[in-house]
């Protein structure tokens, strides 16, 4: 009679007034052992009864988690994946418990991520998709579960769903796109939905699907800090898919999609492990085609993406440094005062190319494009990070080919700029240190050494020998020795 009794209790518990008598009779604790049954009908009725009795009762729900109901629910998803009623009951139970921190912690010790991904793949009805999405929304708030969901292949499944539904005008499909959009942003941004949900009502399903998918890729590496996730995306062929989307929408002029795709590329290019793969895919040349875009936001994203690719990669820096069209466009943007963001990003990319390359030809190419004067101006930027980037780039370029740069340094009054930086009390210790390092490089040029001596920088260096920063002191002493001919 146990199955019939469990069935009767599950029906009784539908009535709100009957929940309290069920609790007072300790029926929940009596029903829990039945979740270990191998009888599917027993599992179904016992699970429904427990879920209905405990619905909206946090104390009872906490008790359920404490006595180990979570592994039983996950086991139901695993062992009875083909049973529609049992899966539905287990998902409803998980939905009711998933907001509890104790439940999330218990779930993180199971293989729930893998099972939910499987359920999402086999879900055919809109109702099933929505309930799985609801459970995932709650789980995506937990960092450990978030990582497990990504490792289980959640981004791929969500992208498949979004791409499958793109172009559909059916109301049900639009709801699924909305739910998937909210889920993917919650999963990858820790629950911050931004403006994407609102955009669903304003834009077509096809376009929003692409933008949401690209936004998810853009954010994928940020909360998880995982090089492996980036490399996995690259190996799945995402790079060329992104570039195909980019090129298509450059032609159509859709800047929103272009920005989303470039944001994804930019973040995929951050880890060294995926950067090498991206370069081998020939991405640099294809991204440069976007330089013809006249949209400032797209230009800004293109520059940022190229800078990420060049960062720490001599091969990428050389590819970019040997492109005269790119260098000329960069130099033009360096003085594009109407768009300060583009101006700053162009300067930073120019500095990155010079910093990370090891080629005399690249130094000569940047000199020929008249880019050196902009880097000298960058040393006096109001941002210390940009100052340091320029100083380091010019120091490395001077070590490679000072003779080529000598005339530009004189014309742009580099020595005088360094003097001001070293003299200014507001200059950060790191900028002072890098300024002295560049100054020491310049002493290898007879003409520039003469300028340094005439500008009486020696006096400033002597004062810096008593600076509060030990690195500045050490560098000042070394440079003074070189200036005096002692080493």
């Amino acid at each position: 009679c146990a199955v019939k009794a469990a069935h009767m209790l599950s029906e009784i518990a539908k009535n709100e007034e009957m929940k309290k008598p069920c609790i007072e009779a300790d029926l929940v604790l009596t029903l829990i052992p039945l979740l270990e049954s191998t009888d599917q009908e027993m599992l179904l009725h016992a699970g429904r009864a427990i879920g209905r009795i405990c619905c909206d009762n946090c104390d009872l729900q906490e008790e359920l988690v404490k006595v180990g109901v979570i592994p039983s629910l996950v086991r139901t998803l695993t062992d009875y994946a083909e049973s529609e009623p049992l899966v539905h009951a287990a998902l409803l139970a998980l939905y009711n418990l998933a907001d509890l921190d104790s439940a999330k912690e218990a779930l993180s010790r199971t293989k729930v991520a893998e099972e939910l991904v499987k359920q999402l793949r086999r879900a055919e009805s809109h109702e099933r998709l929505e309930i799985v999405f609801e459970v995932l929304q709650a789980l995506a708030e937990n960092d450990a579960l978030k990582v497990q969901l990504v490792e289980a292949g959640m981004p791929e499944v969500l992208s498949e769903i979004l791409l499958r539904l793109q172009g559909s005008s059916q109301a049900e499909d639009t709801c699924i796109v909305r739910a998937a959009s909210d889920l993917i942003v919650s999963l990858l941004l820790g629950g911050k939905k931004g403006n994407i949900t609102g955009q669903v009502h304003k834009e077509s399903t096809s376009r929003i699907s692409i933008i949401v998918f690209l936004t998810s890729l853009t954010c994928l590496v940020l909360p998880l800090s995982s090089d492996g996730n980036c490399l996995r995306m690259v190996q799945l062929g995402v790079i060329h898919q992104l570039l195909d989307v980019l090129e298509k929408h450059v032609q159509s002029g859709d800047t929103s999609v272009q920005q989303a795709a470039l944001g994804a590329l930019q973040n995929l290019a951050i880890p060294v492990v995926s950067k090498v793969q991206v370069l081998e895919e020939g991405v640099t040349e294809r991204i440069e085609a976007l330089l013809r875009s006249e949209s400032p936001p797209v230009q800004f994203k293109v520059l940022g993406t190229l800078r990420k690719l060049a960062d720490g990669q001599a091969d990428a820096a050389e590819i970019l440094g040997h492109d005269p069209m790119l260098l000329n466009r960069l130099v033009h943007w360096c003085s594009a005062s109407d768009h300060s963001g583009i101006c700053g990003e162009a300067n930073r990319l120019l500095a990155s190319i010079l910093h990370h390359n090891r080629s005399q030809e690249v130094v000569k190419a940047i000199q020929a494009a008249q880019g050196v004067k902009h880097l000298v101006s960058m040393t006096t930027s109001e941002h210390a990070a940009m100052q340091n980037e320029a100083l380091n780039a010019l120091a490395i370029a001077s070590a490679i080919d000072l003779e080529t740069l000598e005339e530009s340094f004189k014309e742009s009054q580099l020595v005088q700029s360094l003097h001001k930086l070293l003299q200014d009390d507001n200059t950060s210790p790191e900028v002072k240190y890098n300024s002295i390092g560049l100054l020491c490089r310049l002493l290898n040029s007879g003409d520039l050494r003469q300028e340094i001596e005439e500008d009486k920088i020696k006096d400033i260096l002597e004062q810096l020998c008593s600076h509060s920063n030990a690195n500045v002191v050490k560098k000042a002493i070394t440079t003074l020795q070189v200036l005096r001919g002692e080493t």
Side-chain angles (χ1 to χ4, degrees):
C1 296
V3 173
K4 292 181 180 180
H7 188 187
M8 183 178 68
L9 284 172
S10 71
E11 293 300 313
I12 289 174
K14 286 182 179 180
N15 189 317
E16 195 67 31
E17 294 178 359
M18 289 303 298
K19 289 183 181 180
K20 187 176 179 182
C22 288
I23 293 168
E24 291 173 346
D26 287 331
L27 285 174
V28 174
L29 293 177
T30 306
L31 286 163
I32 285 174
L34 301 180
L35 294 177
E36 301 299 319
S37 173
T38 56
D39 185 313
Q40 292 191 34
E41 200 174 355
M42 173 67 83
L43 277 174
L44 178 63
H45 296 316
R48 282 175 174 173
I50 292 170
R52 288 164 182 169
I53 294 169
C54 296
C55 185
D56 298 326
N57 188 317
C58 289
D59 291 338
L60 271 179
Q61 289 174 350
E62 290 283 5
E63 187 66 26
L64 285 176
V65 175
K66 192 179 294 183
V67 298
V69 74
I70 292 294
S72 296
L73 292 174
V74 176
R75 186 165 53 251
T76 299
L77 289 177
T78 306
D79 296 346
Y80 305 100
E82 303 299 327
S83 171
E84 184 70 19
L86 275 177
V87 168
H88 188 74
L91 288 172
L92 280 176
L94 285 174
Y95 169 68
N96 287 323
L97 296 173
D99 282 332
L100 300 174
D101 290 337
S102 57
K104 291 188 181 79
E105 186 177 342
L107 283 166
S108 69
R109 295 192 292 271
T110 70
K111 293 186 177 181
V112 70
E114 294 177 16
E115 296 308 319
L116 289 175
V117 168
K118 290 177 184 176
Q119 287 299 324
L120 210 51
R121 284 191 187 281
R122 62 164 59 99
E124 296 180 358
S125 68
H126 290 79
E127 183 184 7
R128 173 54 50 81
L129 283 171
E130 286 175 4
I131 188 171
V132 176
F133 286 160
E134 292 286 356
V135 175
L136 287 168
Q137 280 282 13
L139 302 191
E141 296 171 2
N142 179 278
D143 287 341
L145 285 166
K146 189 190 304 181
V147 173
Q148 290 175 24
L149 288 167
V150 172
E151 290 176 346
M154 183 59 66
E156 294 92 325
V157 179
L158 291 172
S159 68
E160 288 169 11
I161 292 171
L162 288 171
L163 294 173
R164 185 175 74 239
L165 296 179
Q166 77 173 42
S168 173
S169 58
Q170 293 184 19
E172 285 184 325
D173 288 341
T174 301
C175 290
I176 292 301
V177 169
R178 185 184 304 123
S181 302
D182 287 350
L183 169 59
I184 204 166
V185 177
S186 293
L187 176 64
L188 302 171
L189 289 179
K192 299 177 183 177
K193 298 180 184 178
N195 297 319
I196 291 181
T197 305
Q199 288 176 344
V200 174
H201 302 286
K202 301 175 185 176
E203 304 184 61
S204 70
T205 305
S206 173
R207 187 165 176 273
I208 193 62
S209 294
I210 295 172
I211 291 176
V212 170
F213 174 51
L214 294 174
T215 302
S216 74
L217 290 177
T218 305
C219 305
L220 180 61
V221 296
L222 299 182
L224 302 178
S225 303
S226 172
D227 288 2
N229 289 326
C230 283
L231 185 58
R232 184 180 181 188
M233 285 293 190
V234 174
Q235 290 171 341
L236 285 169
V238 168
I239 293 294
H240 284 289
Q241 292 177 32
L242 288 173
L243 290 168
D244 290 342
V245 169
L246 267 172
E247 290 169 357
K248 175 183 176 182
H249 288 276
V250 165
Q251 294 168 7
S252 68
D254 191 332
T255 57
S256 296
V257 174
Q258 291 176 50
Q259 289 181 69
L262 283 166
L265 278 172
Q266 189 169 337
N267 284 289
L268 285 169
I270 292 174
V272 174
V273 68
S274 62
K275 197 191 301 281
V276 174
Q277 183 83 23
V278 168
L279 288 172
E280 291 175 352
E281 296 284 344
V283 169
T284 308
E285 296 87 337
R286 292 187 68 184
I287 292 176
E288 285 185 33
L290 292 168
L291 291 172
R292 65 178 179 269
S293 172
E294 295 302 323
S295 166
V298 172
Q299 292 171 351
F300 183 80
K301 286 283 189 182
V302 171
L303 292 169
T305 304
L306 291 173
R307 183 166 61 83
K308 293 295 182 187
L309 285 171
D311 187 22
Q313 290 296 314
D315 290 344
E318 285 204 39
I319 290 171
L320 299 174
H322 280 101
D323 188 332
M325 187 197 80
L326 170 64
L327 294 179
N328 288 329
R329 198 71 190 266
L330 283 182
V331 170
H332 168 72
W333 278 332
C334 282
S335 55
S337 55
D338 291 345
H339 302 287
S340 58
I342 292 175
C343 178
E345 201 63 44
N347 275 288
R348 296 187 75 187
L349 176 54
L350 202 59
S352 185
I353 293 171
L354 208 52
H355 184 169
H356 297 291
N357 102 93
R358 295 292 180 266
S359 166
Q360 191 174 32
E361 286 72 22
V362 171
V363 175
K364 288 180 177 177
I366 291 176
Q367 161 66 19
Q370 300 184 2
V372 174
K373 63 181 180 182
H374 294 291
L375 293 177
V376 173
S377 297
M378 188 177 166
T379 63
T380 58
S381 166
E382 60 183 14
H383 304 292
M386 290 181 66
Q387 287 180 296
N388 286 317
E389 287 171 16
L391 290 166
N392 285 325
L394 292 173
I396 289 171
S398 298
I400 294 171
D401 190 352
L402 180 57
E403 186 179 349
T404 294
L405 302 173
E406 190 176 41
E407 197 59 38
S408 288
F409 284 167
K410 290 162 66 177
E411 290 175 2
S412 56
Q413 298 187 319
L414 174 59
V415 170
Q416 289 71 27
S417 295
L418 294 176
H419 190 164
K420 289 178 183 177
L421 287 173
L422 294 174
Q423 202 170 28
D424 191 345
D425 292 337
N426 294 321
T427 303
S428 71
E430 188 179 1
V431 172
K432 283 186 185 288
Y433 177 85
N434 289 325
S435 297
I436 300 170
L438 175 54
L439 195 70
C440 196
R441 294 288 186 191
L442 302 185
L443 290 173
N444 291 316
S445 160
D447 290 347
L448 293 173
R449 175 185 278 268
Q450 186 178 344
E451 280 194 21
I452 292 169
E453 291 173 347
E454 289 174 356
D455 214 42
K456 298 182 180 179
I457 293 181
K458 178 183 173 184
D459 297 341
I460 301 298
L461 290 173
E462 288 175 347
Q463 293 174 23
L464 290 173
C465 288
S466 57
H467 194 274
S468 58
N469 184 280
N471 289 328
V472 171
V473 171
K474 186 177 179 180
K475 183 65 76 173
I477 291 171
T478 302
T479 305
L480 273 173
Q481 290 173 340
V482 175
L483 188 57
R484 292 167 181 161
E486 296 173 6
T487 179

